Coordinates of all heavy atoms in Angstrom, one line a residue:
M157 N 39.5 30.3 -36.8 CA 40.5 30.6 -35.7 C 41.8 31.1 -36.3 O 42.4 30.4 -37.1 CB 40.7 29.4 -34.9 CG 39.6 29.0 -33.9 SD 39.7 30.0 -32.4 CE 41.1 29.0 -31.5
P158 N 42.3 32.2 -35.9 CA 43.5 32.7 -36.4 C 44.6 31.8 -35.7 O 44.5 31.4 -34.6 CB 43.7 34.1 -35.9 CG 42.7 34.3 -34.8 CD 41.6 33.2 -35.0
K159 N 45.7 31.6 -36.5 CA 46.8 30.8 -35.9 C 47.6 31.7 -34.9 O 47.9 32.8 -35.1 CB 47.8 30.5 -37.0 CG 47.6 29.1 -37.6 CD 48.8 28.7 -38.5 CE 48.3 27.5 -39.4 NZ 49.1 27.5 -40.6
V160 N 47.8 31.1 -33.8 CA 48.7 31.8 -32.8 C 50.1 31.6 -33.1 O 50.6 30.4 -33.2 CB 48.4 31.3 -31.4 CG1 49.2 32.0 -30.3 CG2 46.9 31.5 -31.0
R161 N 50.8 32.6 -33.4 CA 52.2 32.6 -33.8 C 53.0 32.6 -32.5 O 52.9 33.5 -31.8 CB 52.6 33.7 -34.7 CG 53.5 33.1 -35.8 CD 53.8 34.2 -36.8 NE 52.8 34.3 -37.9 CZ 52.7 35.4 -38.7 NH1 53.4 36.4 -38.5 NH2 51.8 35.4 -39.6
K162 N 53.8 31.6 -32.3 CA 54.6 31.6 -31.1 C 55.8 32.4 -31.3 O 56.7 32.1 -32.2 CB 54.9 30.2 -30.7 CG 54.9 29.9 -29.2 CD 55.1 28.6 -28.8 CE 55.3 28.6 -27.3 NZ 56.0 27.4 -26.9
I163 N 56.1 33.3 -30.4 CA 57.3 34.1 -30.6 C 58.4 33.5 -29.8 O 58.2 33.2 -28.6 CB 57.0 35.6 -30.0 CG1 56.0 36.2 -30.9 CG2 58.3 36.4 -30.1 CD1 55.3 37.5 -30.2
P164 N 59.5 33.2 -30.4 CA 60.6 32.6 -29.6 C 61.1 33.5 -28.5 O 61.4 34.6 -28.7 CB 61.7 32.3 -30.7 CG 61.2 32.8 -32.0 CD 59.9 33.6 -31.8
Q165 N 61.2 32.9 -27.4 CA 61.7 33.6 -26.2 C 63.1 33.2 -25.8 O 63.4 32.0 -25.9 CB 60.7 33.5 -25.0 CG 59.3 33.8 -25.3 CD 58.9 35.2 -24.7 OE1 59.3 35.5 -23.7 NE2 58.1 35.9 -25.5
R166 N 63.9 34.1 -25.3 CA 65.2 33.8 -24.8 C 65.3 34.4 -23.4 O 64.7 35.5 -23.2 CB 66.3 34.2 -25.7 CG 66.4 33.4 -27.0 CD 66.7 31.9 -26.7 NE 66.8 31.1 -28.0 CZ 65.8 30.5 -28.6 NH1 64.5 30.7 -28.1 NH2 66.0 29.9 -29.7
T167 N 66.2 33.9 -22.6 CA 66.4 34.5 -21.3 C 67.6 35.3 -21.3 O 68.7 34.9 -21.8 CB 66.4 33.4 -20.3 OG1 65.3 32.6 -20.4 CG2 66.4 33.9 -18.9
C168 N 67.6 36.4 -20.7 CA 68.8 37.4 -20.5 C 69.7 36.7 -19.4 O 69.2 36.3 -18.4 CB 68.3 38.7 -20.0 SG 69.6 39.8 -19.4
V169 N 71.0 36.6 -19.7 CA 71.9 35.9 -18.8 C 72.1 36.7 -17.5 O 72.5 36.2 -16.5 CB 73.2 35.5 -19.4 CG1 73.1 34.4 -20.5 CG2 74.0 36.7 -19.9
A170 N 71.9 38.0 -17.6 CA 72.1 38.9 -16.5 C 71.0 39.0 -15.5 O 71.2 38.7 -14.3 CB 72.5 40.2 -17.0
C171 N 69.7 39.3 -16.0 CA 68.6 39.5 -15.2 C 67.7 38.3 -15.1 O 66.9 38.2 -14.2 CB 67.9 40.8 -15.5 SG 67.0 40.7 -17.0
G172 N 67.8 37.3 -16.1 CA 67.0 36.2 -16.0 C 65.6 36.3 -16.6 O 64.8 35.5 -16.5
R173 N 65.4 37.6 -17.1 CA 64.0 37.9 -17.7 C 63.9 37.2 -19.1 O 64.9 37.3 -19.9 CB 63.9 39.4 -17.8 CG 62.5 39.8 -17.4 CD 62.2 41.2 -17.5 NE 63.5 42.0 -17.3 CZ 63.6 43.3 -17.8 NH1 62.5 43.9 -18.3 NH2 64.7 44.0 -17.6
A174 N 62.8 36.6 -19.4 CA 62.6 36.1 -20.7 C 61.9 37.2 -21.6 O 61.0 37.8 -21.1 CB 61.6 34.9 -20.6
R175 N 62.4 37.3 -22.8 CA 62.0 38.3 -23.7 C 62.0 37.7 -25.1 O 62.6 36.7 -25.3 CB 62.8 39.6 -23.8 CG 63.0 40.2 -22.4 CD 64.1 41.2 -22.5 NE 63.7 42.4 -23.2 CZ 63.8 43.6 -22.7 NH1 64.2 43.9 -21.5 NH2 63.5 44.6 -23.4
P176 N 61.2 38.3 -26.0 CA 61.2 37.9 -27.4 C 62.6 37.9 -27.9 O 63.3 38.9 -27.6 CB 60.3 38.8 -28.2 CG 59.4 39.4 -27.1 CD 60.2 39.4 -25.8
K177 N 63.1 36.9 -28.6 CA 64.3 36.7 -29.0 C 65.0 38.0 -29.8 O 66.1 38.4 -29.6 CB 64.4 35.5 -30.0 CG 65.8 34.9 -30.2 CD 65.6 33.7 -31.0 CE 66.6 33.4 -32.0 NZ 66.4 32.3 -32.9
R178 N 64.1 38.5 -30.7 CA 64.6 39.6 -31.4 C 64.9 40.9 -30.6 O 65.4 41.9 -31.2 CB 63.8 39.8 -32.7 CG 62.3 40.1 -32.3 CD 61.4 40.1 -33.5 NE 60.0 40.2 -33.1 CZ 59.4 41.3 -32.7 NH1 60.1 42.4 -32.8 NH2 58.1 41.3 -32.4
E179 N 64.3 41.0 -29.4 CA 64.5 42.2 -28.6 C 65.8 42.1 -27.9 O 66.3 43.1 -27.4 CB 63.4 42.3 -27.6 CG 62.1 42.8 -28.2 CD 61.1 42.9 -27.1 OE1 61.4 43.0 -25.9 OE2 59.9 43.1 -27.5
L180 N 66.4 40.9 -27.9 CA 67.6 40.7 -27.0 C 68.8 40.9 -28.0 O 68.8 40.8 -29.2 CB 67.7 39.4 -26.4 CG 66.6 39.1 -25.3 CD1 66.3 37.6 -25.2 CD2 67.0 39.7 -24.0
V181 N 69.9 41.2 -27.3 CA 71.2 41.2 -28.0 C 72.0 39.8 -27.9 O 72.0 39.4 -26.7 CB 72.2 42.4 -27.5 CG1 73.5 42.3 -28.1 CG2 71.5 43.7 -27.8
R182 N 72.4 39.3 -28.9 CA 73.0 37.9 -28.9 C 74.4 38.0 -29.1 O 74.9 38.7 -30.0 CB 72.3 37.1 -30.1 CG 72.8 35.6 -30.0 CD 72.1 34.8 -31.2 NE 72.5 33.5 -31.0 CZ 73.1 32.8 -32.1 NH1 73.3 33.4 -33.2 NH2 73.5 31.6 -32.0
A183 N 75.2 37.4 -28.2 CA 76.6 37.2 -28.3 C 76.9 35.8 -28.7 O 76.2 34.9 -28.1 CB 77.3 37.6 -27.0
V184 N 77.8 35.6 -29.6 CA 78.0 34.3 -30.1 C 79.5 33.9 -30.0 O 80.3 34.7 -30.3 CB 77.6 34.1 -31.6 CG1 77.7 32.6 -32.1 CG2 76.3 34.7 -31.8
R185 N 79.8 32.7 -29.5 CA 81.0 32.1 -29.7 C 81.1 31.3 -30.9 O 80.4 30.3 -31.0 CB 81.4 31.2 -28.5 CG 82.8 30.8 -28.5 CD 83.1 29.7 -27.5 NE 82.5 28.5 -27.9 CZ 82.3 27.4 -27.1 NH1 82.6 27.5 -25.9 NH2 81.8 26.2 -27.6
T186 N 81.9 31.8 -31.9 CA 81.9 31.1 -33.2 C 82.7 29.8 -33.1 O 83.4 29.6 -32.1 CB 82.5 31.9 -34.2 OG1 83.9 32.1 -34.0 CG2 81.9 33.3 -34.4
P187 N 82.5 28.9 -34.0 CA 83.3 27.6 -34.0 C 84.8 27.9 -34.0 O 85.6 27.1 -33.5 CB 82.9 27.0 -35.3 CG 81.5 27.4 -35.6 CD 81.5 28.9 -35.1
A188 N 85.2 29.1 -34.4 CA 86.7 29.5 -34.4 C 87.1 30.1 -33.1 O 88.2 30.4 -32.9 CB 86.9 30.5 -35.6
G189 N 86.2 30.1 -32.2 CA 86.5 30.6 -30.8 C 86.5 32.1 -30.7 O 87.1 32.6 -29.7
E190 N 85.9 32.8 -31.6 CA 85.8 34.3 -31.4 C 84.5 34.6 -30.8 O 83.5 33.8 -31.0 CB 85.9 34.9 -32.8 CG 87.2 34.9 -33.5 CD 87.1 35.4 -34.9 OE1 86.3 34.9 -35.7 OE2 87.8 36.4 -35.2
I191 N 84.4 35.7 -30.2 CA 83.1 36.3 -29.7 C 82.6 37.4 -30.6 O 83.3 38.2 -30.9 CB 83.3 36.9 -28.2 CG1 83.9 35.9 -27.3 CG2 82.0 37.5 -27.7 CD1 82.9 34.7 -27.0
K192 N 81.4 37.1 -31.1 CA 80.8 38.1 -32.0 C 79.5 38.6 -31.5 O 78.8 37.8 -30.8 CB 80.6 37.4 -33.3 CG 81.9 37.2 -34.2 CD 81.6 37.5 -35.7 CE 82.8 37.8 -36.5 NZ 84.0 37.0 -36.3
V193 N 79.2 39.8 -31.8 CA 77.8 40.3 -31.5 C 77.0 40.0 -32.7 O 77.3 40.4 -33.8 CB 77.8 41.8 -31.1 CG1 76.4 42.2 -30.9 CG2 78.7 42.1 -30.0
D194 N 75.9 39.2 -32.5 CA 75.1 38.8 -33.6 C 73.8 39.6 -33.7 O 72.9 39.4 -32.9 CB 74.9 37.3 -33.5 CG 73.8 36.8 -34.6 OD1 73.8 37.4 -35.6 OD2 73.2 35.8 -34.3
L195 N 73.7 40.5 -34.7 CA 72.6 41.3 -34.8 C 71.5 40.7 -35.7 O 70.4 41.1 -35.9 CB 72.9 42.7 -35.2 CG 73.8 43.5 -34.3 CD1 74.3 44.8 -34.9 CD2 73.2 43.8 -33.0
T196 N 71.9 39.6 -36.4 CA 71.1 39.0 -37.4 C 70.3 37.8 -36.8 O 69.3 37.3 -37.3 CB 71.8 38.6 -38.7 OG1 72.8 37.6 -38.3 CG2 72.6 39.8 -39.3
G197 N 70.9 37.2 -35.8 CA 70.4 36.0 -35.2 C 70.7 34.7 -36.0 O 70.2 33.7 -35.8
K198 N 71.7 35.0 -37.0 CA 72.0 33.8 -37.9 C 73.3 33.2 -37.8 O 73.7 32.3 -38.4 CB 71.7 34.3 -39.3 CG 70.3 34.6 -39.6 CD 70.1 34.9 -41.2 CE 68.6 35.2 -41.4 NZ 68.3 36.5 -41.7
V199 N 74.2 33.9 -36.9 CA 75.5 33.5 -36.8 C 75.5 32.1 -36.0 O 74.8 32.0 -35.0 CB 76.4 34.5 -36.1 CG1 77.8 34.0 -35.8 CG2 76.4 35.8 -36.8
S200 N 76.2 31.2 -36.6 CA 76.1 29.9 -35.8 C 77.3 29.8 -34.8 O 78.2 30.5 -34.8 CB 76.4 28.7 -36.8 OG 77.7 28.8 -37.4
G201 N 76.9 29.0 -33.8 CA 77.8 29.0 -32.6 C 77.0 29.0 -31.4 O 75.8 29.0 -31.4
R202 N 77.7 28.9 -30.3 CA 77.0 29.0 -28.9 C 76.7 30.4 -28.6 O 77.5 31.3 -28.6 CB 78.0 28.4 -27.9 CG 77.3 28.2 -26.6 CD 78.3 27.8 -25.6 NE 77.6 27.6 -24.3 CZ 76.9 26.5 -24.0 NH1 76.8 25.4 -24.8 NH2 76.2 26.5 -22.8
G203 N 75.4 30.6 -28.3 CA 75.0 32.0 -28.1 C 74.5 32.3 -26.7 O 74.2 31.4 -25.9
A204 N 74.6 33.6 -26.3 CA 74.0 34.0 -25.0 C 73.4 35.3 -25.3 O 73.7 36.1 -26.2 CB 75.3 34.2 -24.0
Y205 N 72.3 35.5 -24.5 CA 71.4 36.7 -24.8 C 71.4 37.6 -23.5 O 71.4 37.2 -22.4 CB 69.9 36.3 -25.1 CG 69.8 35.4 -26.3 CD1 70.1 34.1 -26.3 CD2 69.5 36.1 -27.5 CE1 69.9 33.4 -27.5 CE2 69.3 35.4 -28.6 CZ 69.5 34.0 -28.6 OH 69.5 33.3 -29.8
V206 N 71.4 38.9 -23.9 CA 71.2 39.9 -22.8 C 70.2 40.9 -23.4 O 70.1 41.2 -24.6 CB 72.5 40.7 -22.4 CG1 73.4 39.9 -21.6 CG2 73.2 41.2 -23.7
C207 N 69.6 41.6 -22.4 CA 68.7 42.6 -22.7 C 69.4 43.8 -23.4 O 70.5 44.0 -23.1 CB 68.0 43.2 -21.4 SG 67.1 42.0 -20.4
P208 N 68.8 44.5 -24.2 CA 69.4 45.7 -24.8 C 69.5 46.8 -23.8 O 69.0 47.9 -24.1 CB 68.5 46.0 -26.0 CG 67.2 45.5 -25.6 CD 67.4 44.3 -24.8
E209 N 70.0 46.6 -22.6 CA 70.1 47.5 -21.6 C 71.6 47.5 -21.1 O 72.1 46.4 -20.8 CB 69.3 47.1 -20.4 CG 67.9 46.6 -20.6 CD 66.9 47.9 -20.9 OE1 67.3 49.0 -20.6 OE2 65.8 47.5 -21.3
P210 N 72.2 48.7 -21.0 CA 73.6 48.7 -20.5 C 73.7 48.0 -19.2 O 74.8 47.4 -19.0 CB 73.9 50.2 -20.5 CG 72.9 50.9 -21.4 CD 71.7 50.1 -21.4
E211 N 72.8 48.2 -18.3 CA 72.9 47.5 -16.9 C 73.0 46.0 -17.1 O 73.8 45.4 -16.4 CB 71.7 47.8 -16.1 CG 71.3 49.3 -15.9 CD 70.3 49.7 -17.1 OE1 69.2 49.5 -16.9 OE2 70.8 50.2 -18.0
C212 N 72.3 45.4 -18.0 CA 72.3 44.0 -18.2 C 73.7 43.5 -18.8 O 74.2 42.6 -18.4 CB 71.2 43.4 -19.0 SG 69.7 43.3 -18.0
V213 N 74.2 44.3 -19.7 CA 75.5 44.0 -20.3 C 76.6 44.1 -19.3 O 77.4 43.2 -19.1 CB 75.8 44.9 -21.5 CG1 77.3 44.6 -22.0 CG2 74.8 44.6 -22.7
E214 N 76.6 45.2 -18.5 CA 77.6 45.4 -17.5 C 77.6 44.3 -16.5 O 78.6 43.7 -16.0 CB 77.5 46.7 -16.9 CG 77.9 47.9 -17.7 CD 79.2 47.8 -18.5 OE1 80.2 47.3 -17.7 OE2 79.4 48.0 -19.6
R215 N 76.3 44.0 -16.0 CA 76.2 43.0 -15.0 C 76.7 41.5 -15.5 O 77.3 40.8 -14.9 CB 74.7 42.9 -14.6 CG 74.5 42.1 -13.3 CD 73.0 42.3 -12.9 NE 72.7 41.1 -12.1 CZ 71.4 40.9 -11.8 NH1 70.5 41.5 -12.2 NH2 71.2 39.8 -11.0
G216 N 76.2 41.3 -16.8 CA 76.6 40.1 -17.4 C 78.1 39.8 -17.5 O 78.6 38.8 -17.3
L217 N 78.7 41.0 -17.8 CA 80.2 40.9 -17.9 C 80.9 40.9 -16.6 O 81.8 40.1 -16.4 CB 80.8 42.1 -18.8 CG 80.3 42.2 -20.3 CD1 80.7 43.5 -20.9 CD2 81.0 40.9 -21.0
R218 N 80.5 41.7 -15.7 CA 81.1 41.9 -14.4 C 81.0 40.6 -13.6 O 81.9 40.1 -12.9 CB 80.5 43.0 -13.7 CG 81.3 43.7 -12.6 CD 80.7 44.9 -11.9 NE 79.4 44.6 -11.5 CZ 78.3 45.2 -11.9 NH1 78.3 46.2 -12.7 NH2 77.1 44.9 -11.4
E219 N 79.8 40.0 -13.6 CA 79.5 38.8 -12.9 C 80.0 37.5 -13.5 O 79.8 36.5 -13.0 CB 78.0 38.8 -12.4 CG 77.7 40.0 -11.6 CD 76.2 39.9 -11.1 OE1 75.6 38.9 -11.4 OE2 75.8 40.8 -10.4
G220 N 80.5 37.8 -14.7 CA 81.0 36.6 -15.5 C 79.9 35.7 -16.1 O 80.2 34.5 -16.4
R221 N 78.7 36.2 -16.2 CA 77.6 35.3 -16.6 C 77.6 35.1 -18.1 O 77.3 34.0 -18.6 CB 76.3 36.0 -16.3 CG 76.1 36.0 -14.8 CD 74.7 36.8 -14.5 NE 74.6 36.9 -13.1 CZ 73.4 36.6 -12.5 NH1 72.4 36.2 -13.1 NH2 73.4 36.8 -11.1
L222 N 78.1 36.1 -18.8 CA 78.3 36.0 -20.3 C 79.4 35.0 -20.6 O 79.3 34.1 -21.4 CB 78.5 37.3 -21.0 CG 77.2 38.1 -21.3 CD1 77.6 39.6 -21.5 CD2 76.6 37.5 -22.5
Q223 N 80.5 35.2 -19.9 CA 81.7 34.3 -20.1 C 81.3 32.8 -19.7 O 81.6 32.0 -20.4 CB 82.8 34.8 -19.0 CG 83.4 36.0 -19.4 CD 82.7 37.2 -18.8 OE1 81.5 37.3 -18.6 NE2 83.5 38.4 -18.5
H224 N 80.5 32.7 -18.7 CA 80.0 31.4 -18.2 C 79.1 30.8 -19.3 O 79.3 29.6 -19.7 CB 79.3 31.5 -16.9 CG 78.8 30.2 -16.4 ND1 79.6 29.3 -15.8 CD2 77.6 29.6 -16.5 CE1 78.9 28.2 -15.5 NE2 77.7 28.4 -15.9
A225 N 78.2 31.6 -19.8 CA 77.3 31.0 -20.8 C 77.9 30.7 -22.1 O 77.6 29.8 -22.8 CB 76.2 32.1 -21.1
L226 N 79.0 31.4 -22.5 CA 79.7 31.1 -23.7 C 80.9 30.2 -23.5 O 81.5 29.8 -24.4 CB 80.1 32.5 -24.3 CG 79.1 33.4 -24.7 CD1 79.7 34.8 -25.1 CD2 78.3 32.9 -25.9
E227 N 81.2 29.9 -22.2 CA 82.3 29.0 -21.9 C 83.6 29.4 -22.4 O 84.5 28.6 -22.9 CB 81.9 27.6 -22.4 CG 80.6 27.1 -21.7 CD 80.2 25.8 -22.3 OE1 80.7 25.4 -23.4 OE2 79.4 25.0 -21.6
I228 N 83.8 30.7 -22.4 CA 85.1 31.3 -22.9 C 85.3 32.7 -22.3 O 84.4 33.4 -22.0 CB 85.0 31.3 -24.4 CG1 86.5 31.5 -25.1 CG2 84.1 32.5 -24.9 CD1 86.4 31.5 -26.6
P229 N 86.6 33.1 -22.1 CA 86.8 34.5 -21.6 C 86.5 35.4 -22.7 O 86.6 35.1 -23.9 CB 88.3 34.5 -21.3 CG 88.8 33.1 -21.3 CD 87.8 32.3 -22.1
I230 N 85.9 36.6 -22.4 CA 85.5 37.5 -23.4 C 86.6 38.6 -23.5 O 86.8 39.3 -22.5 CB 84.2 38.2 -23.1 CG1 83.1 37.0 -23.0 CG2 83.8 39.3 -24.1 CD1 81.7 37.5 -22.8
P231 N 87.2 38.8 -24.6 CA 88.3 39.9 -24.8 C 87.6 41.3 -24.8 O 86.5 41.4 -25.0 CB 88.9 39.5 -26.1 CG 87.8 38.7 -26.9 CD 87.0 38.0 -25.9
E232 N 88.5 42.2 -24.3 CA 88.1 43.6 -24.2 C 87.4 44.1 -25.4 O 86.4 44.8 -25.3 CB 89.2 44.4 -23.8 CG 89.0 45.7 -23.1 CD 88.2 45.6 -21.8 OE1 88.8 44.8 -20.9 OE2 87.2 46.2 -21.5
S233 N 87.9 43.7 -26.6 CA 87.4 44.2 -27.8 C 85.9 43.8 -28.1 O 85.1 44.5 -28.6 CB 88.3 43.9 -29.0 OG 88.3 42.5 -29.1
A234 N 85.7 42.5 -27.7 CA 84.3 41.9 -27.8 C 83.4 42.6 -26.9 O 82.2 42.8 -27.1 CB 84.4 40.4 -27.7
M235 N 83.9 42.9 -25.6 CA 83.1 43.6 -24.7 C 82.7 45.0 -25.2 O 81.5 45.3 -25.0 CB 83.9 43.8 -23.3 CG 84.1 42.6 -22.6 SD 84.9 42.9 -21.0 CE 85.2 41.3 -20.3
D236 N 83.6 45.7 -25.8 CA 83.3 47.0 -26.3 C 82.3 46.8 -27.5 O 81.3 47.7 -27.5 CB 84.5 47.6 -26.9 CG 85.5 48.2 -25.7 OD1 84.9 48.2 -24.6 OD2 86.7 48.4 -26.0
E237 N 82.4 45.9 -28.2 CA 81.5 45.6 -29.4 C 80.1 45.4 -28.8 O 79.1 45.9 -29.3 CB 81.9 44.5 -30.2 CG 81.3 44.5 -31.6 CD 81.7 43.1 -32.3 OE1 82.8 42.6 -32.0 OE2 80.9 42.7 -33.1
L238 N 80.0 44.6 -27.8 CA 78.7 44.3 -27.1 C 78.1 45.6 -26.5 O 76.9 45.9 -26.7 CB 79.0 43.3 -26.0 CG 77.9 42.4 -25.6 CD1 77.2 41.7 -26.7 CD2 78.4 41.3 -24.6
R239 N 78.9 46.4 -25.9 CA 78.4 47.6 -25.3 C 77.8 48.6 -26.3 O 76.8 49.1 -26.2 CB 79.5 48.4 -24.5 CG 79.9 47.6 -23.3 CD 80.9 48.4 -22.5 NE 81.4 47.7 -21.2 CZ 82.6 47.2 -21.0 NH1 83.5 47.4 -21.9 NH2 82.8 46.5 -19.9
R240 N 78.6 48.6 -27.4 CA 78.2 49.5 -28.5 C 76.8 49.0 -29.1 O 76.0 49.8 -29.4 CB 79.1 49.6 -29.7 CG 80.2 50.7 -29.5 CD 80.8 51.0 -30.8 NE 81.5 49.8 -31.4 CZ 82.7 49.4 -31.1 NH1 83.4 50.1 -30.2 NH2 83.2 48.3 -31.7
A241 N 76.8 47.7 -29.3 CA 75.5 47.0 -29.9 C 74.4 47.4 -29.0 O 73.2 47.8 -29.5 CB 75.7 45.6 -30.0
V242 N 74.5 47.3 -27.7 CA 73.5 47.6 -26.8 C 73.0 49.1 -26.7 O 71.9 49.5 -26.7 CB 73.8 47.1 -25.4 CG1 72.9 47.7 -24.3 CG2 73.8 45.6 -25.3
E243 N 74.1 50.0 -26.9 CA 73.8 51.4 -26.9 C 73.0 51.7 -28.1 O 72.1 52.5 -28.1 CB 75.1 52.2 -26.9 CG 75.7 52.5 -25.6 CD 77.0 53.1 -25.6 OE1 77.4 53.7 -26.6 OE2 77.8 52.8 -24.7
L244 N 73.3 51.1 -29.2 CA 72.6 51.3 -30.5 C 71.2 50.9 -30.4 O 70.2 51.5 -30.8 CB 73.3 50.6 -31.7 CG 74.5 51.3 -32.2 CD1 75.2 50.5 -33.3 CD2 74.2 52.8 -32.7
A245 N 71.1 49.6 -29.8 CA 69.7 49.1 -29.6 C 68.9 49.9 -28.7 O 67.7 50.2 -29.0 CB 69.8 47.7 -29.0
A246 N 69.5 50.5 -27.6 CA 68.8 51.4 -26.7 C 68.4 52.6 -27.5 O 67.2 53.1 -27.3 CB 69.6 51.6 -25.5
A247 N 69.2 53.2 -28.2 CA 69.1 54.4 -28.9 C 67.9 54.2 -29.9 O 67.1 55.2 -30.1 CB 70.3 55.0 -29.6
G248 N 67.9 53.1 -30.6 CA 66.8 52.8 -31.6 C 65.4 52.7 -31.0 O 64.4 52.9 -31.7
R249 N 65.3 52.6 -29.7 CA 64.0 52.4 -29.1 C 63.5 53.8 -28.7 O 62.3 53.9 -28.2 CB 64.0 51.5 -27.9 CG 64.0 50.0 -28.4 CD 64.2 49.1 -27.2 NE 65.4 49.4 -26.5 CZ 65.6 49.4 -25.2 NH1 64.5 49.0 -24.4 NH2 66.7 49.7 -24.6
R250 N 64.3 54.8 -28.7 CA 64.0 56.2 -28.3 C 63.1 56.8 -29.3 O 63.2 56.5 -30.4 CB 65.1 57.0 -27.9 CG 65.4 56.9 -26.4 CD 66.6 57.7 -26.0 NE 67.5 57.0 -25.1 CZ 68.8 56.8 -25.3 NH1 69.3 57.3 -26.3 NH2 69.4 56.1 -24.4
Ligands
ZN280 ZN1 68.5 41.6 -18.7

């Protein structure tokens, strides 16, 4: 019997869909209180996940779901970083 490898799943804070962790874009609140986009999945801190879809990022930010999940206001610069990361992720799939 082959071993069944369990793929870690995370839920998008905007649409609530569960997807494999590595497909999602992770935003992290670092212990220093900064918001970072974590493309490696290794940054420590409180994380929130969104689909690599501009709609999900916009919805997550507009409805305050990312802010709520990270328990901190998200500065404009971090919002831009998040949007760029998602655009790149979306472009990479084409
Ligand atoms: Zn989503």
Side-chain angles (χ1 to χ4, degrees):
M157 282 279 282
K159 260 191 200 157
V160 178
R161 223 175 271 162
K162 219 176 165 201
I163 299 165
Q165 303 258 322
R166 290 295 181 274
T167 307
C168 168
V169 294
C171 68
R173 220 177 337 159
R175 304 166 73 123
K177 199 174 148 187
R178 59 189 168 81
E179 284 182 16
L180 294 158
V181 173
R182 182 176 184 237
V184 187
R185 186 191 75 196
T186 69
E190 290 175 301
I191 302 293
K192 287 219 161 36
V193 178
D194 174 23
L195 299 173
T196 63
K198 292 187 179 108
V199 177
S200 64
R202 188 181 179 85
Y205 295 84
V206 283
C207 301
E209 315 280 351
E211 308 89 83
C212 280
V213 172
E214 289 309 318
R215 193 173 159 195
L217 292 171
R218 201 179 55 238
E219 297 181 2
R221 291 174 187 229
L222 274 161
Q223 292 88 328
H224 180 79
L226 296 170
E227 299 174 341
I228 194 174
I230 298 178
E232 201 63 49
S233 60
M235 288 190 185
D236 286 344
E237 201 187 329
L238 203 51
R239 290 184 180 116
R240 268 200 308 273
V242 166
E243 272 167 31
L244 283 175
R249 282 176 302 145
R250 265 180 221 128

